Amino acid sequence: MSAILTSLQDFTDRELVFFYKYRFAQYTPETHEEIANFIFEKRQISLDKIETLLKTPKTKNAFCKRCGSDKILNYDVVYDNPASKKLSYYQWEDLKANFSKKNQIECFVCGNIIENPNETYFDKILKFIKGN
C-alpha cells in the first residue's frame, strides 16, 4: 500500500471528498488511479454522495475553515519581508541567505493555507471580504 493510501485510511468520508476535490490533481496519474479506486470502490463513495458531502456544513469549532478538518501540516517557509523586494538582485540574494524561517500551517486534506507568515494585511482584508 502506498504512503498516500495509508494516510487516506484515517480520513472521514467528508475529508476524502474534500481531498478528492482540492488535492487530487497534484498527484501523478498512477496515484490518481489508486486514490480513485480507494474512494469509489473501497469506501463506496458515489458522485452523488460527493456532492452532498461538499454541501454539508462543517462543524463550528473546525480548524480548517474550508473543509472542517483538523489534519494539518506545519512546515517552515522563508519569511519574505515585502520591503526587501525593492533591492537589487545581488542585495536580495545576500539578504535572502540571512532570512529567518517562520511556520506555515496548511490543511492536509484540502490544501487551504490556514496561517501564512508572508500574507500581508491587504491579503487578509481581501480574504475576509471573500469570506474564506
Side-chain angles (χ1 to χ4, degrees), residues 44 56 68 85 98 126:
Q44 300 288 315
T56 57
K85 298 226 187 255
N98 297 321
L126 287 176

Side-chain angles (χ1 to χ4, degrees), residues 7 10-12 14-16 18 23 58-74 105-112 114:
S7 297
D10 298 334
F11 281 28
T12 64
R14 179 180 169 80
E15 289 173 333
L16 274 176
F18 275 88
R23 292 281 206 169
K58 61 188 174 302
T59 58
K60 298 245 184 220
N61 58 352
F63 197 74
C64 177
K65 301 299 182 208
R66 182 193 285 168
C67 70
S69 177
D70 61 349
K71 293 173 176 63
I72 59 168
L73 298 169
N74 284 323
I105 301 173
E106 178 180 346
C107 178
F108 180 67
V109 174
C110 68
N112 184 30
I114 298 166

Side-chain angles (χ1 to χ4, degrees), residues 1-5 8 19-20 23-39:
M1 182 177 288
S2 69
I4 189 64
L5 290 183
L8 294 180
F19 180 85
Y20 181 71
R23 292 281 206 169
F24 186 73
Q26 77 185 41
Y27 291 95
T28 64
E30 295 82 20
T31 309
H32 283 183
E33 190 175 322
E34 288 181 43
I35 293 170
N37 286 338
F38 179 79
I39 292 171

Side-chain angles (χ1 to χ4, degrees), residues 18-118:
F18 275 88
F19 180 85
Y20 181 71
K21 179 174 181 172
Y22 292 103
R23 292 281 206 169
F24 186 73
Q26 77 185 41
Y27 291 95
T28 64
E30 295 82 20
T31 309
H32 283 183
E33 190 175 322
E34 288 181 43
I35 293 170
N37 286 338
F38 179 79
I39 292 171
F40 296 115
E41 292 177 16
K42 185 167 184 184
R43 292 288 285 267
Q44 300 288 315
I45 299 175
S46 66
L47 292 175
D48 292 335
K49 189 173 182 181
I50 287 175
E51 291 300 319
T52 303
L53 288 171
L54 286 172
K55 292 177 185 175
T56 57
K58 61 188 174 302
T59 58
K60 298 245 184 220
N61 58 352
F63 197 74
C64 177
K65 301 299 182 208
R66 182 193 285 168
C67 70
S69 177
D70 61 349
K71 293 173 176 63
I72 59 168
L73 298 169
N74 284 323
Y75 53 92
D76 288 336
V77 294
V78 174
Y79 177 64
D80 183 21
N81 186 351
S84 64
K85 298 226 187 255
K86 296 178 182 175
L87 300 174
S88 73
Y89 173 78
Y90 297 106
Q91 290 171 324
W92 172 249
E93 289 300 313
D94 289 342
L95 182 63
K96 191 167 72 170
N98 297 321
F99 270 163
S100 62
K101 295 186 181 231
K102 291 193 176 185
N103 193 32
Q104 180 162 307
I105 301 173
E106 178 180 346
C107 178
F108 180 67
V109 174
C110 68
N112 184 30
I113 303 295
I114 298 166
E115 187 175 309
N116 182 357
N118 292 316

